[in-house]
Amino acid sequence: MSNLPKTAELVIIGGGVIGTSIAYELAKRGMKDIVLVEGDTISSGSTGRCGGGIRAQWSTPENVRLAMASVERFKSLESELETELEFEQGGYLILAHSDQELQQFESNVKMQKSLNLDVDLITPSQAKEIVPSLNIEKITGATWCPSDGSINPFLLNFAYARAARQKGVKIFQHTKVIGIEHKAQKITGINTDQGKISTNQLVNAAGGYAGFIGKLAGLDLPVVPHRHEILATEQINRFFKNMIMSFEYNLYFRQVMDGGIVGGQTNPGELPGTDIKSGLTFLKEMSVKLTHFIPKLKQVKVIRQWAGLYCTSPDAQPILGKIENLAGYYQAIGFSGHGLMLAPRTAVLMANCIADPDFQDEDLSRLNLDRFKHGIVSGERSVV
Amino acid sequence: MKDDIIICRCQDVTEQEIVDAIKKYNLSTVDEVKRVTRAGMGHCQGKTCRKLVEQILSRELSRPVSADQYTTLRPPTRAVPLDLLANAEQSFDKVVSRGRGGHNE
Ligand SMILES: Cc1cc2nc3c(=O)[nH]c(=O)nc-3n(C[C@H](O)[C@H](O)[C@H](O)COP(=O)(O)OP(=O)(O)OC[C@H]3O[C@@H](n4cnc5c(N)ncnc54)[C@H](O)[C@@H]3O)c2cc1C
């Protein structure tokens, strides 16, 4: 399979949703001779392990804007990529469990509304109207955004890859990057276990391994991989279409189109690392929480559990664009557990900035690596 | 007829759907077929169909059958009811007292 080209205009590292969507958007803008290398197979990384949730209810304006613009793209993506993606705007219900949390939500909602998001603070009984089986015992209120929703992550990833291929992008799977060459602060090539490619431009879209790719280029990037576990139950009749989320009780879950419940949490005390084993502790904790919130799930069986990596940045916002002192190096990393939902807008911004050196965008510049120059910035709070 | 032959009984995936997906998305492994078609994601977790999927791949791509290609079997080995797992851990308060665990606080 090693018919790897000797040269390329640009190499994208990583065949997850970020790498493949950037490849597609660049090819769409007419860039030729793009090569994408993927160490394993398409969607084998975080993308193929994620929850598929899409929400614009964030606490930073950058995340809200990126997510809202992505939702707009999601609406037309099925026809643009000519395939079914199971995109559905079933809404996100985010639960509050104290007055203090409600106050934080109130200020989030105010900021979100100022950006024209269709979000509202609602009462526990209104939450119960949305999901009649919800146990509202420990709930003081909630936020509800009906335009939030979900998508099938696999289909999205494979659809971008297919559309990119159709526009001439060459995708090489089972091709792992093991070295990056640069000279006089310019990218000159990459080394893979299948051979070398000379190139003056590359995109680091390696998900949980983004920090490792950075090291290969001599960069010390402020991103860390963290394992996140998730489970799926057997199929049951669909009784809710929205995502349910609680930051305080640390979980999110939804019922996917085929009827299974899919949900996860952030394991307390999880240390950085790339190990993605799954464990019984997670299964027990999630079961307690799921059956608390939806008591009628008690008899429902778990059929599968797995784990994947979050690529965590210091402020839980992505790190995008070019960097100082290394020409030709671009990155779209650090999505901190929300890269699927931000992918469509991220890909547009990344492709614009690669294709046009004069391209300017407020979010792109705010999300550049240089924001960390002066220490840690305050960041996104609404995370599980 | 390939569209009459069910390969994954749990998820109701036909041979034709698998062949179409292989062609449409350039798939070459059982795991990829699983991600696109859901064959092997159902109740039995692919215990029967993963072998059949590999045979279809081998035929469509004209390559030998490879046991390495069989998809990863994910835990639990058997389906377990949520309340059985929940009872093993017992109280909601105990579980949530372990904290939120967020990495970005
Ligand atoms: C359990 C879980 C639930 C999640 N839920 C959601 C959700 O509901 N909504 C949401 O928006 N996001 C969610 N996320 C986050 C989301 O999955 C990621 O942010 C997103 O998939 C990142 O995409 P990516 O393309 O950057 O990374 P990946 O999909 O990981 O792709 C990176 C690719 O790079 C490849 N690679 C790595 N190293 C090399 C190398 N040296 N050479 C070549 N290739 C290499 C990997 O094999 C991988 O395929 C979740 C994540 C997890 C783990």
Side-chain angles (χ1 to χ4, degrees), chain A residues 16 47 85 90 130 160 190 216-217 232 260 269 281 284 311 322 384:
Chain A
T47 304
L85 300 172
I130 295 165
Y160 268 129
I190 63 152
L216 294 180
T281 305
K284 289 180 188 167
C311 177
K322 43 189 150 195
V384 165

Side-chain angles (χ1 to χ4, degrees), chain A residues 14 16-18 38-39 46-47 50-53 177 205 207 252 308 310 337-341:
Chain A
V17 70
I18 298 298
E38 162 55 53
S46 310
T47 304
C50 85
V177 174
Y252 63 88
Y310 279 20
H338 31 282
L340 185 85
M341 63 182 86

